[in-house]
């Protein structure tokens, strides 16, 4: 009870106030002595020198989504590799029959293979289903596997996948084995990425609430970094295979840097201070209340739920999940619908759009990396960043679900762009400018509305129920990703 009293006082007086065990034993957190205890605790808090811990959490946030973004942005390399394997095999068969017909055979025009056509859809499905599964399993894994093993193990596994990918750039592989190997790698990086993300938000839960910001910033910039890396690889002027090799080696370098940052984290006094608070069994409740009161990152609850203080367990058991779900049903379904639409067309449909003005110019190589991936990631990040300034519409406003449903208009708009190959729908928005405008609005609305929903969900319930609400919101987010991966097959077939 004394810890809960301190937590309530800490929330009222200061966002970063903690009540260490030794202080609570000394004065039992009496109301008359609360100010003294808070003052003593604040004076003992070390400073984050040179923002080192902030930078490390930024790098860790970057490392959670960087692998998936690197694979997604490199679709041009994967599809070209599949097309070349298909055409080389067909060309060799044709040469056997026509070798005497011509002394100097000419290569046939590049044709899309069946594996290349379905690559983006299958890639999205293989990414989102493991993400949903391991997000749900993470609440069980963190109780049985130590934190360092989960974080370091996931990073090392992701590094190994990228090393194998870089090596395979130089190794000739037939189309079907290459397709299967690529999908297995995508499933692995998203499985380990889900474990890494859940563990990271739990780790951030030990620190003040402001330290969830670098994680979100790192995740938001992961897509931009991957897009810029691909553009630089293309700008190098090398062949696509050589550019892809440098591209994947760059990813390996970033993952190695992330591992080094994590290994250096326990050496920092600022981090050790909050880690010690956890070991003493104090301050943890205040940290969770701090997160809940600020509403910055509800997903931290996924990790903390298994290590919360014993005094909170009876309260958590009394919470009715059905009652909480009823309160947050609108934002939960909204965030699910947002990502169903987003993943339904991006990148499965949008990465298949062809430039109508490039011709034989260099813009043809830059069109998808710039117009599709860079545009989406930049405007998605801007949309998420805007929620720090504006929170319109409010959490109870009918405008929020209305705007979420209005995003459905982007499906026909993007399907009617210059997607190739196509069999059914006509091309209505052929010019590149239309596609770029649609992508910018599509991405901005995704980032802004999704952030609003994730923020409003926990705010629609009592503070003690916010942790459970956050976990439910995270589940619906991942459910939307998985549903979007399934729907993407339908959207691509319509074209």
């Amino acid at each position: 009870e004394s810890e809960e009293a301190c937590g309530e006082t800490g929330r009222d007086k200061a966002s970063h106030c903690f009540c260490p065990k030794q202080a609570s034993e000394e004065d039992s957190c009496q109301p008359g002595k609360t100010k003294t205890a808070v003052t003593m605790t604040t004076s003992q808090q070390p400073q984050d020198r040179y923002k080192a811990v902030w930078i490390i959490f930024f790098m860790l946030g970057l490392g959670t989504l960087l692998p998936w973004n690197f694979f997604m942005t490199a679709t041009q390399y994967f599809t070209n590799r599949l097309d070349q394997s298909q055409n080389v095999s067909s060309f060799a068969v044709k040469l056997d029959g026509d070798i005497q017909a011509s002394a100097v055979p000419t290569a046939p025009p590049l044709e899309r293979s069946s594996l290349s056509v379905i690559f983006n859809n299958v890639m999205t499905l293989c990414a989102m289903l493991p993400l949903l599964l391991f997000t749900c399993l993470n609440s069980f894994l963190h109780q049985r596997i130590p934190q360092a093993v989960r974080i370091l193990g996931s990073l090392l596994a992701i590094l190994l996948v990228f090393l194998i990918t870089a090596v395979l750039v130089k190794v000739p592989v037939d189309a079907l084995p290459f397709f299967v190997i690529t999908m297995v790698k995508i499933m692995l990086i998203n499985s380990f990425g889900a474990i890494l993300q859940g563990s990271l938000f739990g780790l951030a839960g030990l620190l003040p609430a402001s330290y969830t910001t670098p994680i979100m910033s790192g995740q938001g910039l992961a897509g931009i970094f991957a897009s810029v890396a691909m553009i630089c690889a293309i700008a190098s002027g090398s062949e696509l295979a050589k550019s892809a090799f440098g591209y994947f080696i760059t990813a390996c370098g970033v993952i190695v840097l992330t591992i080094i940052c994590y290994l250096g984290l326990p050496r920092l006094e600022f981090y050790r201070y909050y880690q010690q608070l956890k070991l003493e069994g104090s301050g943890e409740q205040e940290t969770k209340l701090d997160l809940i009161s600020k509403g910055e990152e509800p997903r931290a609850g996924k990790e903390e739920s298994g290590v919360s203080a014993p005094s909170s367990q009876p309260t958590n058991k009394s919470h009715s999940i059905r009652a909480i779900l009823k309160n947050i049903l609108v934002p939960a379904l909204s965030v699910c619908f947002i990502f169903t639409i987003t993943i339904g067309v991006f990148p499965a449909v949008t990465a298949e759009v062809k430039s109508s003005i490039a011709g034989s110019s260099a813009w043809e190589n830059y069109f998808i990396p710039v117009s599709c991936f860079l545009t989406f990631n930049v405007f998605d990040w801007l949309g998420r960043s805007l929620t720090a300034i504006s929170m319109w519409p409010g959490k109870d406003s009918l405008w929020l679900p209305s705007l979420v449903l209005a995003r459905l208009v982007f499906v026909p708009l993007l399907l009617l762009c210059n997607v190739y190959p196509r069999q059914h729908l006509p091309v209505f928005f052929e010019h590149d400018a239309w596609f770029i405008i649609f992508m910018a609005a599509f991405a901005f609305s995704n980032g802004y509305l999704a952030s609003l929903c994730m923020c409003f969900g926990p705010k629609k319930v009592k503070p003690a129920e916010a942790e459970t609400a956050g976990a439910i919101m995270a589940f619906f987010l991942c459910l939307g990703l998985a549903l979007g991966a399934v729907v993407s097959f339908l959207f691509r077939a319509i074209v």
Side-chain angles (χ1 to χ4, degrees):
E1 294 180 0
S2 63
E3 289 185 0
E4 293 178 358
C6 283
E8 189 67 30
T9 306
R11 278 189 294 143
D12 293 339
K13 290 184 175 291
S15 62
H16 295 160
C17 292
F18 296 86
C19 185
K21 187 175 183 180
Q22 53 265 37
S24 64
E25 290 175 350
E26 197 172 88
D27 53 25
S28 300
C29 292
Q30 295 297 328
K33 298 184 180 181
T34 302
K35 185 176 180 180
T36 304
V38 170
T39 304
M40 288 177 60
T41 304
T42 305
S43 64
Q44 294 171 357
Q45 290 181 1
Q47 299 296 316
D48 185 8
R49 298 183 60 186
Y50 308 111
K51 292 291 182 181
V53 175
W54 196 98
I55 294 173
I56 288 176
F57 273 85
F58 175 85
M59 286 300 303
L60 290 171
L62 186 70
T64 57
L65 290 186
L66 189 74
W68 162 238
N69 278 283
F70 259 73
F71 267 83
M72 180 173 61
T73 308
T75 53
Q76 186 177 0
Y77 157 72
F78 291 117
T79 53
N80 280 15
R81 179 87 179 255
L82 291 169
D83 289 335
Q84 288 174 0
S85 298
Q86 174 80 11
N87 283 270
V88 167
S89 300
S90 302
F91 190 43
V93 172
K94 185 178 180 181
L95 280 179
D96 290 338
D98 301 340
I99 191 66
Q100 297 178 350
S102 174
V104 183
T106 57
L110 197 65
E111 297 179 359
R112 294 295 302 273
S113 68
S114 58
L115 293 177
S116 172
V117 171
I118 66 171
F119 179 84
N120 286 315
N121 297 88
V122 179
M123 176 188 68
T124 307
L125 186 65
C126 289
M128 299 311 164
L129 290 183
L131 183 65
L132 175 63
L133 175 63
F134 278 84
T135 299
C136 297
L137 289 178
N138 196 53
S139 59
F140 301 100
L141 292 175
H142 84 269
Q143 297 175 352
R144 295 167 174 80
I145 304 176
Q147 176 196 95
V149 174
R150 278 179 282 123
I151 294 179
L152 271 181
S154 297
L155 287 172
L156 289 172
I158 291 171
L159 175 61
L160 180 61
V161 171
F162 271 110
L163 287 173
I164 294 173
T165 304
V167 170
L168 285 177
V169 173
K170 302 292 186 179
V171 178
V173 183
D174 289 339
L176 183 58
F178 180 77
F179 182 86
V180 173
I181 292 172
T182 302
M183 294 307 158
V184 170
K185 291 185 295 184
I186 290 173
M187 293 176 68
L188 288 175
I189 64 166
N190 280 277
S191 299
F192 286 110
I195 296 173
L196 177 62
Q197 178 173 266
S199 303
L200 182 57
F201 282 121
L203 184 65
L206 303 176
L207 277 67
S210 60
Y211 280 81
T212 59
T213 302
I215 299 176
M216 298 300 293
S217 299
Q219 289 186 332
L221 291 176
I224 299 176
F225 182 87
S227 302
V228 171
M230 175 54 76
I231 292 170
C232 292
I234 296 174
S236 66
S238 303
E239 296 178 358
L240 185 60
K242 293 182 179 179
S243 300
F245 181 79
Y247 178 72
F248 290 119
I249 289 296
T250 301
C252 293
V254 175
I255 298 300
V256 168
L257 184 58
T258 304
I259 293 173
I260 294 173
C261 288
Y262 176 72
L263 292 175
L265 191 60
R267 299 177 179 270
L268 300 176
E269 182 183 4
F270 182 82
Y271 173 77
R272 290 202 306 268
Y273 170 79
Y274 287 98
Q275 185 73 16
Q276 186 64 26
L277 288 181
K278 175 195 175 186
L279 295 176
E280 292 175 355
S282 306
E284 184 176 7
Q285 186 68 15
E286 285 75 14
T287 305
K288 291 199 296 184
L289 290 173
D290 185 21
L291 285 171
I292 294 170
S293 63
K294 284 185 173 290
E296 292 188 17
E297 186 47 60
R299 283 177 287 181
K302 293 185 292 181
E303 172 78 7
E304 293 176 7
S305 59
V307 294
S308 55
S311 60
S312 65
Q313 290 178 358
T315 307
N316 290 337
K317 291 180 181 179
S318 65
H319 295 156
S320 171
I321 294 181
R322 182 177 300 180
I324 295 174
L325 180 59
K326 182 179 179 181
N327 289 332
I328 67 170
L329 189 61
V330 172
L333 291 178
S334 295
V335 77
C336 181
F337 187 79
I338 288 169
F339 283 101
T340 299
I341 296 301
T342 299
I343 301 301
V345 294
F346 175 82
V349 174
T350 58
E352 299 286 351
V353 175
K354 306 300 179 184
S355 173
S356 62
I357 64 174
S360 59
S361 66
W363 175 241
E364 183 179 6
N365 295 326
Y366 290 99
F367 176 69
I368 288 299
V370 173
S371 301
C372 179
F373 293 109
L374 184 62
T375 300
F376 180 89
N377 287 307
V378 168
F379 280 89
D380 176 70
W381 179 75
L382 289 175
R384 283 197 268 180
S385 301
L386 182 62
T387 57
I389 303 173
S390 171
M391 298 290 284
W392 182 89
K395 65 177 186 283
D396 298 318
S397 173
L398 291 177
W399 276 104
L400 181 60
S402 300
L403 290 173
V404 170
L405 290 174
R407 289 190 77 244
L408 191 62
V409 73
F410 287 112
V411 174
L413 290 179
L414 291 170
L415 294 184
L416 292 174
C417 288
N418 194 31
V419 181
Y420 179 82
R422 62 193 306 118
Q423 296 179 346
H424 306 292
L425 297 179
V427 177
F428 195 79
F429 303 104
E430 186 176 7
H431 199 277
D432 296 4
W434 284 114
F435 176 65
I436 295 174
I437 292 172
F438 294 156
M439 281 300 297
F442 176 67
F444 185 85
S445 62
N446 176 80
Y448 183 71
L449 293 175
S451 295
L452 281 183
C453 292
M454 293 302 292
C455 179
F456 288 155
K459 290 184 178 181
K460 293 177 72 71
V461 297
K462 300 175 183 177
E465 300 173 336
E467 184 177 334
T468 304
I472 295 174
M473 290 294 297
F475 171 78
F476 274 88
L477 187 153
C478 294
L479 180 62
L481 295 175
L483 290 176
V486 175
V487 172
S488 68
F489 286 89
L490 174 62
F491 289 159
R492 188 63 186 89
I494 290 175
V495 179

